[in-house]
Amino acid sequence: MSREPDVVQPDAVTVTVTTEIDVAEARQEARRLALRHGFGTVRAHGLATAVSELAMNLVLHTARGGQIRLTAQDAAEAAVIELVAEDDGPGIPDLARAMEDGFSTRGGLGCGLAGTRRLVDTFAITSRVGEGTRIVCLVRRP
Amino acid sequence: MHGLGQILLQNRSGVLDAWLARLRDTAPGAQPASLQLLKLELGTLVEKLTAYFLAGDGDGAGPAFKSVEEQAATISAACARDGLTPMETATLILSLKTIAGELLDRETSAKATELYRMRTALDAGVDRLALITFAAFVETREEIIKRQGRALLDLATPALPIWRHIILMPLVGVIDTQRARQVMEWLLEALAREEAHIAILDVTGVPLIDSRVALHLTKTVEAARLLGSRVIVTGISPDAAQTLVKLDVDLSSMITRGTLRAGLAEAFRLLGRHPKDPIETSL
Ligand SMILES: Nc1ncnc2c1ncn2[C@@H]1O[C@H](COP(=O)(O)OP(=O)(O)OP(=O)(O)O)[C@@H](O)[C@H]1O
Ligand SMILES: [Mg+2]
């Protein structure tokens, strides 16, 4: 019997998101990935919701959509999933305002970005007007 | 290509038999009933192809080829409906090249150059058919998918008058923008039609509630309120509830209950009556 390695190959999924159907697919992938790596159903649901928010933003706020990338890495007794949402859309002129609860330029509830930050363990957003937006989140277990 | 037409004319039943034998190989899963139909359609195709070669010089133009094309499209639509894969369908059409090619080698005493011209015309004709078939196949599939989508949309959102003044709308599946709009429309319509005071919107079958779905729910609740009705949302799962708290969406405008049963109890409470009231049991 060989010993289980402490770190195995990352488990990665990429979904190109341009329409609402892609959003549904991305969050299904997220949920499956989380369950596959030992996350509980609440955490899996939270991750799927974060993916849903970021993916829906790609559909609503960019002309050509973008990509959702999910990468899971297992370690001994732990796992981490990285969620990257990236687009080359219009960018966000005022990041601080966009992160506020209730701010929306499209008549939404405006809690997508702020809510996502609360759903994940680490949240980072970079955006350049005219170049695009990139959001990186981490979700950890245990 | 009169010569090619003649050869096909004299051997049409042989060609058709060979083709049908291939059909059974390419699509082993096809139902006998659909095989029967395909057999007829393939027979017609052989006839039209023969007429085309008899009539012209095989350049793929003119009304005779148009009629061949239409027949190929019919066949491919039948294949798509019967669940054959695009690969199987294309293979079926392309196999005519081999069958008729072998026939040519066997049956003609023509010179090599003549034989070569016939084969080229045959190949060109069948290749075009395969392309047409493929396009028609994709079209049929897309049409089927669209129809299924519409059917699902219709099926998934019944508004049930479960009690006097109470309707129940169980939502099942993903709520995208189009569905959300439809749910709202139907709910308001049903409220008016049934003269209902209360709608119970059960979301047990909705896999995930994000801020967009929450927005649609809120709008529906507000619109119902304008009609003088209340909406009770039931079936939010414990997982979803914990997520909604983190998202911090404002659901204060709506009444929510964990289970349908609790939702019903709340509905009766709002109506100020007990489910065992005589007037209700007589309904
Ligand atoms: N990928 C993006 N590209 C450009 N702008 C974006 C992007 N994501 C978000 N924004 C901007 O940030 C604002 C806030 O986003 P957030 O997701 O919080 O709210 P929303 O999408 O408007 O509404 P909700 O998510 O509640 O339905 C958006 O209204 C939009 O102007
Ligand atoms: Mg959003």
Side-chain angles (χ1 to χ4, degrees), chain B residues 205-241:
Chain B
V206 178
L208 189 143
I209 299 174
D210 62 5
S211 63
R212 276 282 132 178
V213 178
L215 172 71
H216 294 309
L217 286 178
T218 316
K219 281 186 177 165
T220 307
V221 170
E222 275 161 16
R225 185 170 289 160
L226 288 179
L227 292 184
S229 307
R230 307 296 302 269
V231 177
I232 302 172
V233 178
T234 63
I236 296 177
S237 72
D239 289 354

Side-chain angles (χ1 to χ4, degrees), chain A residues 52-54 56-58 60-61 104 108 110-113, chain B residues 211-212:
Chain A
S52 191
E53 294 296 344
L54 299 184
M56 199 58 198
N57 280 354
L58 295 176
L60 285 176
H61 307 303
S104 172
C111 53
L113 288 178
Chain B
S211 63
R212 276 282 132 178

